[in-house]
Amino acid sequence: MADNSSSDGVPSDSLEAAKNASNKEKLTDQVMQNPQVLAALQERLENVSHTPSSYIETLPKAVKRRINALKQLQVKCAHIEAKFYEEVHDLERKYAALYQPLFDKRREFITGDVEPTDAESEWHSENEEEDKLAGDVKNKVVIAEKEAATAEEPNPKGIPEFWFTIFRNVDMLSELVQEYDEPILKHLQDIKVKFSDPGQPMSFVLEFHFEPNDYFTNSVLTKTYKMKSEPDKADPFSFEGPEIVDCDGCTIDWKKGKNVTVKTIKKKQKHKGRGTVRTITKQVPNDSFFNFFSPLKASGDGESLDEDSEFTLASDFEIGHFFRERIVPRAVLYFTGEAIEDDDNFEEGEEGEEEDLEGDEEGEEDEDAEINPKV
Protein backbone atom coordinates (compact mmCIF):
# COMPACT_ATOMS: atom_id res chain seq x y z
CA MET A 1 0.00 0.00 0.00
CA ALA A 2 1.14 3.53 -0.67
CA ASP A 3 2.32 5.66 2.18
CA ASN A 4 -0.21 8.53 2.45
CA SER A 5 1.59 10.19 5.33
CA SER A 6 0.52 13.67 6.26
CA SER A 7 1.86 16.65 8.12
CA ASP A 8 -0.44 18.27 10.68
CA GLY A 9 -3.36 16.34 9.23
CA VAL A 10 -2.83 17.69 5.63
CA PRO A 11 -2.35 14.99 2.96
CA SER A 12 1.05 15.03 1.21
CA ASP A 13 -0.44 15.24 -2.31
CA SER A 14 -2.26 18.47 -1.37
CA LEU A 15 0.96 19.95 -0.08
CA GLU A 16 2.71 19.05 -3.33
CA ALA A 17 -0.03 20.67 -5.44
CA ALA A 18 0.13 23.85 -3.37
CA LYS A 19 3.89 23.96 -3.75
CA ASN A 20 3.64 23.61 -7.55
CA ALA A 21 1.03 26.35 -7.76
CA SER A 22 3.28 28.64 -5.72
CA ASN A 23 6.24 27.92 -8.03
CA LYS A 24 4.13 28.70 -11.12
CA GLU A 25 3.03 32.01 -9.67
CA LYS A 26 6.64 32.95 -8.90
CA LEU A 27 7.71 31.96 -12.44
CA THR A 28 4.86 33.99 -13.95
CA ASP A 29 5.84 37.02 -11.88
CA GLN A 30 9.45 36.69 -13.04
CA VAL A 31 8.43 36.40 -16.70
CA MET A 32 6.07 39.37 -16.52
CA GLN A 33 8.83 41.47 -15.02
CA ASN A 34 11.07 40.75 -18.03
CA PRO A 35 10.92 43.82 -20.35
CA GLN A 36 11.70 41.78 -23.50
CA VAL A 37 8.91 39.32 -22.81
CA LEU A 38 6.46 42.13 -22.11
CA ALA A 39 7.44 43.92 -25.33
CA ALA A 40 6.98 40.76 -27.41
CA LEU A 41 3.61 40.08 -25.82
CA GLN A 42 2.47 43.67 -26.37
CA GLU A 43 3.50 43.53 -30.05
CA ARG A 44 1.57 40.32 -30.54
CA LEU A 45 -1.54 41.77 -28.95
CA GLU A 46 -1.28 44.89 -31.10
CA ASN A 47 -0.94 42.83 -34.30
CA VAL A 48 -3.99 40.81 -33.40
CA SER A 49 -6.05 43.85 -32.56
CA HIS A 50 -5.06 45.64 -35.79
CA THR A 51 -6.31 42.97 -38.23
CA PRO A 52 -9.44 44.21 -40.05
CA SER A 53 -11.58 41.18 -39.24
CA SER A 54 -10.77 41.24 -35.54
CA TYR A 55 -11.47 44.98 -35.43
CA ILE A 56 -14.89 44.54 -37.07
CA GLU A 57 -15.78 41.89 -34.52
CA THR A 58 -15.24 44.37 -31.69
CA LEU A 59 -17.69 46.92 -33.10
CA PRO A 60 -21.18 47.35 -31.65
CA LYS A 61 -24.09 45.67 -33.41
CA ALA A 62 -25.49 49.04 -34.52
CA VAL A 63 -22.23 49.85 -36.34
CA LYS A 64 -22.11 46.39 -37.93
CA ARG A 65 -25.64 46.96 -39.20
CA ARG A 66 -24.53 50.18 -40.92
CA ILE A 67 -21.54 48.38 -42.45
CA ASN A 68 -23.92 45.83 -43.95
CA ALA A 69 -25.85 48.73 -45.48
CA LEU A 70 -22.61 50.01 -47.05
CA LYS A 71 -22.00 46.56 -48.55
CA GLN A 72 -25.43 46.66 -50.17
CA LEU A 73 -24.51 50.01 -51.71
CA GLN A 74 -21.25 48.48 -52.94
CA VAL A 75 -23.12 45.67 -54.70
CA LYS A 76 -25.31 48.27 -56.45
CA CYS A 77 -22.14 50.08 -57.55
CA ALA A 78 -20.82 46.83 -59.02
CA HIS A 79 -24.00 46.42 -61.09
CA ILE A 80 -23.69 50.00 -62.37
CA GLU A 81 -20.06 49.28 -63.27
CA ALA A 82 -21.20 46.21 -65.20
CA LYS A 83 -23.56 48.40 -67.25
CA PHE A 84 -20.68 50.78 -67.89
CA TYR A 85 -18.61 47.95 -69.40
CA GLU A 86 -21.55 46.86 -71.55
CA GLU A 87 -21.63 50.35 -73.04
CA VAL A 88 -17.85 50.22 -73.52
CA HIS A 89 -18.40 47.02 -75.52
CA ASP A 90 -20.94 48.88 -77.67
CA LEU A 91 -18.37 51.63 -78.26
CA GLU A 92 -15.76 49.03 -79.22
CA ARG A 93 -18.18 47.64 -81.78
CA LYS A 94 -18.84 51.13 -83.14
CA TYR A 95 -15.18 52.01 -83.53
CA ALA A 96 -14.29 48.58 -84.89
CA ALA A 97 -16.45 49.52 -87.88
CA LEU A 98 -14.37 52.70 -88.31
CA TYR A 99 -11.08 50.79 -88.07
CA GLN A 100 -12.13 48.08 -90.53
CA PRO A 101 -11.57 50.03 -93.79
CA LEU A 102 -8.00 50.70 -92.64
CA PHE A 103 -7.48 47.04 -91.73
CA ASP A 104 -8.88 46.02 -95.12
CA LYS A 105 -6.35 48.24 -96.83
CA ARG A 106 -3.64 46.79 -94.59
CA ARG A 107 -4.55 43.34 -95.86
CA GLU A 108 -4.39 44.52 -99.47
CA PHE A 109 -0.87 45.88 -98.94
CA ILE A 110 0.24 42.69 -97.16
CA THR A 111 -1.10 40.33 -99.81
CA GLY A 112 0.11 42.54 -102.66
CA ASP A 113 -3.37 42.97 -104.15
CA VAL A 114 -2.81 46.73 -104.00
CA GLU A 115 0.45 48.67 -104.22
CA PRO A 116 0.66 51.71 -101.90
CA THR A 117 1.17 55.10 -103.53
CA ASP A 118 4.29 57.16 -102.89
CA ALA A 119 2.30 59.35 -100.49
CA GLU A 120 1.03 56.29 -98.60
CA SER A 121 4.55 54.88 -98.40
CA GLU A 122 6.17 58.03 -97.04
CA TRP A 123 7.33 57.64 -93.43
CA HIS A 124 9.50 59.97 -91.38
CA SER A 125 11.81 57.96 -89.15
CA GLU A 126 13.40 59.27 -85.95
CA ASN A 127 16.85 59.21 -87.60
CA GLU A 128 15.67 60.88 -90.79
CA GLU A 129 17.92 63.96 -90.47
CA GLU A 130 21.04 61.89 -89.77
CA ASP A 131 20.20 59.58 -92.64
CA LYS A 132 19.73 62.58 -94.96
CA LEU A 133 23.11 64.10 -94.06
CA ALA A 134 24.88 60.79 -94.44
CA GLY A 135 23.12 60.24 -97.75
CA ASP A 136 24.17 63.64 -99.10
CA VAL A 137 27.83 62.94 -98.30
CA LYS A 138 27.85 59.52 -99.89
CA ASN A 139 25.42 60.21 -102.71
CA LYS A 140 27.89 61.09 -105.45
CA VAL A 141 30.25 58.25 -104.56
CA VAL A 142 27.75 55.37 -104.46
CA ILE A 143 25.00 56.46 -106.85
CA ALA A 144 26.10 54.05 -109.54
CA GLU A 145 26.25 51.16 -107.07
CA LYS A 146 22.76 52.01 -105.80
CA GLU A 147 21.31 51.99 -109.30
CA ALA A 148 22.85 48.59 -109.96
CA ALA A 149 21.65 47.18 -106.65
CA THR A 150 18.12 48.51 -107.24
CA ALA A 151 18.00 46.86 -110.62
CA GLU A 152 19.01 43.51 -109.13
CA GLU A 153 16.94 43.77 -105.90
CA PRO A 154 14.03 41.31 -105.81
CA ASN A 155 10.53 42.70 -105.55
CA PRO A 156 8.28 40.05 -103.99
CA LYS A 157 4.53 40.44 -103.91
CA GLY A 158 3.17 42.31 -100.88
CA ILE A 159 4.91 41.64 -97.55
CA PRO A 160 5.87 37.95 -97.45
CA GLU A 161 5.19 35.97 -94.25
CA PHE A 162 3.80 39.02 -92.47
CA TRP A 163 1.63 37.25 -89.91
CA PHE A 164 3.98 34.31 -89.57
CA THR A 165 6.75 36.75 -88.64
CA ILE A 166 4.51 38.19 -85.89
CA PHE A 167 4.02 34.67 -84.53
CA ARG A 168 7.79 34.23 -84.40
CA ASN A 169 8.37 37.63 -82.78
CA VAL A 170 5.84 37.27 -79.95
CA ASP A 171 6.93 34.78 -77.30
CA MET A 172 3.37 33.99 -76.23
CA LEU A 173 2.62 32.79 -79.78
CA SER A 174 5.97 31.30 -80.78
CA GLU A 175 5.73 28.89 -77.84
CA LEU A 176 2.64 27.36 -79.46
CA VAL A 177 4.12 26.98 -82.93
CA GLN A 178 5.80 23.71 -83.89
CA GLU A 179 8.15 23.34 -86.84
CA TYR A 180 5.47 21.56 -88.89
CA ASP A 181 3.04 24.45 -88.22
CA GLU A 182 5.32 27.00 -89.86
CA PRO A 183 4.64 26.25 -93.55
CA ILE A 184 0.88 26.43 -92.83
CA LEU A 185 1.09 29.77 -91.02
CA LYS A 186 2.95 31.23 -93.99
CA HIS A 187 -0.41 31.06 -95.80
CA LEU A 188 -2.11 33.24 -93.16
CA GLN A 189 -3.23 36.48 -94.82
CA ASP A 190 -5.23 38.30 -92.16
CA ILE A 191 -6.61 38.16 -88.61
CA LYS A 192 -9.83 39.99 -87.80
CA VAL A 193 -11.80 40.68 -84.62
CA LYS A 194 -15.61 40.66 -84.79
CA PHE A 195 -17.69 41.88 -81.83
CA SER A 196 -21.08 40.46 -80.88
CA ASP A 197 -24.15 42.21 -82.31
CA PRO A 198 -26.24 44.58 -80.19
CA GLY A 199 -28.60 42.72 -77.88
CA GLN A 200 -26.56 39.52 -78.08
CA PRO A 201 -24.50 38.05 -75.20
CA MET A 202 -21.12 39.75 -74.96
CA SER A 203 -18.47 37.95 -77.04
CA PHE A 204 -15.90 38.42 -79.77
CA VAL A 205 -14.67 36.24 -82.63
CA LEU A 206 -11.15 35.92 -83.97
CA GLU A 207 -11.08 35.16 -87.70
CA PHE A 208 -7.91 33.72 -89.24
CA HIS A 209 -8.01 34.12 -93.04
CA PHE A 210 -5.87 31.76 -95.13
CA GLU A 211 -5.07 31.68 -98.82
CA PRO A 212 -5.64 28.34 -100.63
CA ASN A 213 -3.08 25.82 -99.38
CA ASP A 214 -2.18 22.12 -99.35
CA TYR A 215 -3.22 21.55 -95.73
CA PHE A 216 -6.94 22.28 -95.30
CA THR A 217 -9.86 23.50 -97.35
CA ASN A 218 -11.10 26.19 -94.91
CA SER A 219 -10.54 29.76 -96.03
CA VAL A 220 -11.33 31.06 -92.51
CA LEU A 221 -10.71 29.48 -89.09
CA THR A 222 -12.63 30.99 -86.16
CA LYS A 223 -12.36 31.13 -82.38
CA THR A 224 -15.25 32.58 -80.37
CA TYR A 225 -14.69 33.94 -76.87
CA LYS A 226 -17.74 34.29 -74.63
CA MET A 227 -17.65 37.01 -72.02
CA LYS A 228 -19.51 37.93 -68.84
CA SER A 229 -19.92 41.41 -67.47
CA GLU A 230 -21.95 41.04 -64.31
CA PRO A 231 -21.05 40.60 -60.65
CA ASP A 232 -21.00 37.06 -59.34
CA LYS A 233 -23.97 36.45 -57.05
CA ALA A 234 -21.83 34.48 -54.60
CA ASP A 235 -18.97 37.01 -54.61
CA PRO A 236 -20.10 40.37 -56.07
CA PHE A 237 -17.14 42.28 -54.65
CA SER A 238 -14.72 40.35 -56.90
CA PHE A 239 -16.11 42.04 -60.03
CA GLU A 240 -13.44 43.99 -61.91
CA GLY A 241 -14.95 44.20 -65.39
CA PRO A 242 -15.75 41.81 -68.23
CA GLU A 243 -14.05 38.42 -68.18
CA ILE A 244 -13.80 35.61 -70.70
CA VAL A 245 -15.73 32.63 -69.37
CA ASP A 246 -15.68 30.16 -72.26
CA CYS A 247 -14.61 29.70 -75.87
CA ASP A 248 -15.55 27.70 -78.97
CA GLY A 249 -13.31 26.70 -81.84
CA CYS A 250 -14.14 25.38 -85.28
CA THR A 251 -13.69 22.21 -87.33
CA ILE A 252 -10.63 22.23 -89.55
CA ASP A 253 -11.20 20.30 -92.78
CA TRP A 254 -7.76 18.79 -93.14
CA LYS A 255 -6.67 17.34 -96.44
CA LYS A 256 -5.67 13.69 -96.40
CA GLY A 257 -2.47 13.09 -94.46
CA LYS A 258 -2.03 16.80 -93.60
CA ASN A 259 -3.54 16.99 -90.10
CA VAL A 260 -0.70 18.24 -87.87
CA THR A 261 -2.78 18.02 -84.67
CA VAL A 262 -2.48 14.22 -84.63
CA LYS A 263 0.36 11.79 -85.25
CA THR A 264 0.30 8.13 -86.18
CA ILE A 265 2.20 5.69 -84.00
CA LYS A 266 2.81 1.98 -84.36
CA LYS A 267 2.05 -0.29 -81.44
CA LYS A 268 2.69 -4.00 -81.00
CA GLN A 269 -0.04 -6.21 -79.51
CA LYS A 270 0.45 -9.78 -78.27
CA HIS A 271 -2.42 -12.29 -78.44
CA LYS A 272 -3.07 -13.73 -74.97
CA GLY A 273 -3.93 -17.22 -76.16
CA ARG A 274 -1.80 -17.85 -79.25
CA GLY A 275 1.10 -15.63 -78.28
CA THR A 276 1.25 -14.11 -81.75
CA VAL A 277 2.29 -10.47 -82.16
CA ARG A 278 0.67 -7.96 -84.49
CA THR A 279 1.49 -4.32 -85.21
CA ILE A 280 -1.32 -1.76 -85.27
CA THR A 281 -1.30 1.92 -86.10
CA LYS A 282 -3.00 4.44 -83.86
CA GLN A 283 -3.56 8.20 -84.03
CA VAL A 284 -2.73 10.22 -80.91
CA PRO A 285 -2.89 13.98 -80.20
CA ASN A 286 0.09 16.03 -81.37
CA ASP A 287 1.33 19.43 -80.15
CA SER A 288 0.39 22.12 -82.65
CA PHE A 289 -0.74 25.73 -82.79
CA PHE A 290 -3.86 24.48 -84.57
CA ASN A 291 -5.06 22.85 -81.37
CA PHE A 292 -5.98 26.48 -80.61
CA PHE A 293 -9.16 25.82 -82.61
CA SER A 294 -10.13 22.80 -80.46
CA PRO A 295 -10.17 24.45 -77.03
CA LEU A 296 -10.85 22.92 -73.67
CA LYS A 297 -14.40 23.68 -72.56
CA ALA A 298 -15.06 25.50 -69.32
CA SER A 299 -16.99 23.33 -66.89
CA GLY A 300 -20.66 24.28 -66.98
CA ASP A 301 -22.16 21.48 -64.92
CA GLY A 302 -20.89 22.64 -61.54
CA GLU A 303 -17.88 20.34 -61.59
CA SER A 304 -14.52 22.01 -61.09
CA LEU A 305 -11.65 21.52 -63.52
CA ASP A 306 -8.35 20.07 -62.38
CA GLU A 307 -5.39 22.40 -61.91
CA ASP A 308 -3.77 21.63 -65.30
CA SER A 309 -7.05 22.18 -67.14
CA GLU A 310 -7.64 25.48 -65.35
CA PHE A 311 -4.15 26.65 -66.34
CA THR A 312 -4.70 25.60 -69.98
CA LEU A 313 -8.03 27.43 -70.11
CA ALA A 314 -6.61 30.57 -68.47
CA SER A 315 -3.71 30.59 -70.98
CA ASP A 316 -6.16 30.23 -73.86
CA PHE A 317 -8.20 33.19 -72.59
CA GLU A 318 -5.03 35.26 -72.23
CA ILE A 319 -3.96 34.52 -75.81
CA GLY A 320 -7.40 35.40 -77.17
CA HIS A 321 -7.36 38.68 -75.27
CA PHE A 322 -3.85 39.44 -76.55
CA PHE A 323 -4.89 38.91 -80.17
CA ARG A 324 -7.87 41.21 -79.68
CA GLU A 325 -6.20 44.00 -77.72
CA ARG A 326 -2.66 44.04 -79.08
CA ILE A 327 -1.86 41.92 -82.13
CA VAL A 328 -4.71 42.84 -84.46
CA PRO A 329 -4.81 46.61 -83.74
CA ARG A 330 -1.00 47.03 -83.87
CA ALA A 331 0.08 44.28 -86.26
CA VAL A 332 2.76 46.25 -88.14
CA LEU A 333 4.54 47.16 -84.89
CA TYR A 334 4.69 43.51 -83.83
CA PHE A 335 6.00 42.66 -87.30
CA THR A 336 8.83 45.21 -87.01
CA GLY A 337 9.40 44.43 -83.32
CA GLU A 338 8.75 48.00 -82.16
CA ALA A 339 5.71 47.02 -80.07
CA ILE A 340 7.71 44.23 -78.45
CA GLU A 341 10.47 46.67 -77.50
CA ASP A 342 7.85 49.02 -76.02
CA ASP A 343 6.38 46.15 -73.99
CA ASP A 344 9.85 45.20 -72.71
CA ASN A 345 10.64 48.78 -71.72
CA PHE A 346 7.33 49.09 -69.89
CA GLU A 347 8.00 45.90 -67.94
CA GLU A 348 11.50 47.08 -67.03
CA GLY A 349 10.05 50.36 -65.76
CA GLU A 350 7.62 48.50 -63.54
CA GLU A 351 10.43 46.44 -62.07
CA GLY A 352 12.42 49.59 -61.39
CA GLU A 353 9.49 51.12 -59.51
CA GLU A 354 9.20 47.97 -57.42
CA GLU A 355 12.86 48.21 -56.49
CA ASP A 356 12.42 51.82 -55.39
CA LEU A 357 9.45 50.89 -53.23
CA GLU A 358 11.42 48.07 -51.66
CA GLY A 359 14.18 50.51 -50.83
CA ASP A 360 11.61 52.81 -49.16
CA GLU A 361 10.23 49.93 -47.12
CA GLU A 362 13.43 49.55 -45.16
CA GLY A 363 13.69 53.17 -44.09
CA GLU A 364 10.00 54.19 -43.99
CA GLU A 365 7.94 51.29 -42.73
CA ASP A 366 5.12 53.46 -41.34
CA GLU A 367 4.75 55.40 -44.57
CA ASP A 368 4.70 52.24 -46.69
CA ALA A 369 1.80 50.95 -44.62
CA GLU A 370 -0.24 53.92 -45.84
CA ILE A 371 0.90 53.81 -49.47
CA ASN A 372 -0.47 50.45 -50.57
CA PRO A 373 -1.82 50.82 -54.11
CA LYS A 374 -4.52 48.50 -55.37
CA VAL A 375 -3.24 46.10 -58.01
Side-chain angles (χ1 to χ4, degrees):
M1 293 181 64
D3 183 9
N4 291 327
S5 59
S6 60
S7 176
D8 296 331
V10 180
S12 60
D13 52 354
S14 298
L15 290 172
E16 186 67 24
K19 183 178 180 181
N20 290 337
S22 177
N23 290 337
K24 287 181 180 178
E25 289 178 3
K26 290 180 181 179
L27 181 60
T28 302
D29 291 340
Q30 292 175 359
V31 169
M32 295 306 292
Q33 291 175 8
N34 187 320
Q36 293 179 341
V37 173
L38 287 174
L41 181 60
Q42 181 67 24
E43 182 179 359
R44 184 172 181 180
L45 289 172
E46 288 178 355
N47 289 338
V48 170
S49 63
H50 286 175
T51 58
S53 59
S54 61
Y55 170 68
I56 298 300
E57 290 300 319
T58 65
L59 296 175
K61 288 184 179 180
V63 176
K64 291 180 181 178
R65 180 173 173 274
R66 293 167 197 140
I67 292 173
N68 290 338
L70 293 184
K71 287 184 177 181
Q72 285 210 31
L73 294 177
Q74 191 64 44
V75 171
K76 291 179 181 179
C77 288
H79 283 281
I80 292 174
E81 186 179 6
K83 297 295 292 183
F84 163 77
Y85 284 115
E86 288 178 7
E87 294 194 18
V88 169
H89 188 73
D90 291 338
L91 278 175
E92 286 182 310
R93 185 191 306 109
K94 173 185 174 181
Y95 280 88
L98 300 178
Y99 290 134
Q100 196 53 51
L102 302 178
F103 292 158
D104 290 341
K105 180 165 282 192
R106 178 177 71 183
R107 174 177 178 167
E108 292 174 342
F109 291 163
I110 291 170
T111 59
D113 293 340
V114 172
E115 188 68 25
T117 64
D118 289 343
E120 290 172 327
S121 303
E122 186 176 356
W123 182 255
H124 302 287
S125 66
E126 293 180 357
N127 300 323
E128 182 180 18
E129 292 299 325
E130 296 179 9
D131 293 343
K132 185 177 183 302
L133 291 173
D136 290 341
V137 173
K138 297 179 180 178
N139 186 48
K140 294 183 180 180
V141 180
V142 300
I143 188 169
E145 296 178 1
K146 283 187 177 181
E147 289 175 354
T150 302
E152 297 173 1
E153 188 178 49
N155 185 17
K157 186 178 179 180
I159 305 176
E161 303 179 4
F162 179 85
W163 291 100
F164 171 61
T165 301
I166 292 174
F167 272 71
R168 286 192 305 182
N169 288 347
V170 178
D171 290 342
M172 183 185 296
L173 302 181
S174 64
E175 292 172 356
L176 304 176
V177 178
Q178 308 299 319
E179 185 175 353
Y180 38 81
D181 292 328
E182 294 181 0
I184 310 176
L185 289 171
K186 290 178 181 179
H187 294 285
L188 180 59
Q189 293 187 312
D190 197 13
I191 303 177
K192 295 181 179 180
V193 179
K194 296 289 183 68
F195 293 91
S196 54
D197 293 331
Q200 296 298 313
M202 187 181 295
S203 66
F204 66 92
V205 180
L206 298 177
E207 294 183 353
F208 294 75
H209 293 252
F210 287 83
E211 64 183 350
N213 58 78
D214 297 331
Y215 298 92
F216 46 73
T217 59
N218 312 65
S219 59
V220 181
L221 301 181
T222 61
K223 183 76 169 282
T224 302
Y225 286 91
K226 302 174 183 179
M227 304 176 70
K228 183 183 78 169
S229 180
E230 61 184 30
D232 190 285
K233 292 181 180 179
D235 185 17
F237 303 132
S238 66
F239 180 72
E240 293 184 348
E243 60 177 335
I244 298 173
V245 293
D246 202 0
C247 56
D248 292 322
C250 67
T251 300
I252 302 178
D253 298 320
W254 295 99
K255 294 181 179 180
K256 187 177 180 179
K258 297 295 186 178
N259 188 350
V260 295
T261 65
V262 296
K263 60 183 177 182
T264 302
I265 61 171
K266 292 182 178 181
K267 189 176 181 180
K268 291 183 178 181
Q269 286 185 339
K270 186 176 182 180
H271 194 281
K272 292 182 179 180
R274 296 191 297 268
T276 55
V277 178
R278 67 173 182 174
T279 301
I280 63 169
T281 58
K282 183 180 179 182
Q283 282 194 333
V284 296
N286 196 29
D287 289 338
S288 168
F289 164 74
F290 291 91
N291 290 323
F292 180 73
F293 300 98
S294 301
L296 185 69
K297 292 294 294 179
S299 178
D301 53 9
E303 295 182 5
S304 59
L305 298 172
D306 59 54
E307 188 174 341
D308 289 342
S309 297
E310 286 185 352
F311 177 79
T312 300
L313 202 59
S315 298
D316 191 320
F317 293 171
E318 183 180 4
I319 292 167
H321 183 76
F322 196 77
F323 269 118
R324 166 188 157 171
E325 295 292 328
R326 308 297 289 275
I327 298 294
V328 173
R330 309 178 70 202
V332 66
L333 302 180
Y334 281 96
F335 175 79
T336 62
E338 293 167 83
I340 298 169
E341 292 173 3
D342 289 343
D343 290 345
D344 291 342
N345 290 336
F346 180 74
E347 289 171 2
E348 288 174 4
E350 284 185 336
E351 290 174 2
E353 290 176 5
E354 288 177 1
E355 289 174 2
D356 290 340
L357 286 173
E358 288 174 0
D360 291 344
E361 286 176 359
E362 294 178 4
E364 300 177 7
E365 294 179 357
D366 294 338
E367 185 173 335
D368 178 67
E370 296 175 5
I371 306 174
N372 190 11
K374 180 181 178 181
V375 177

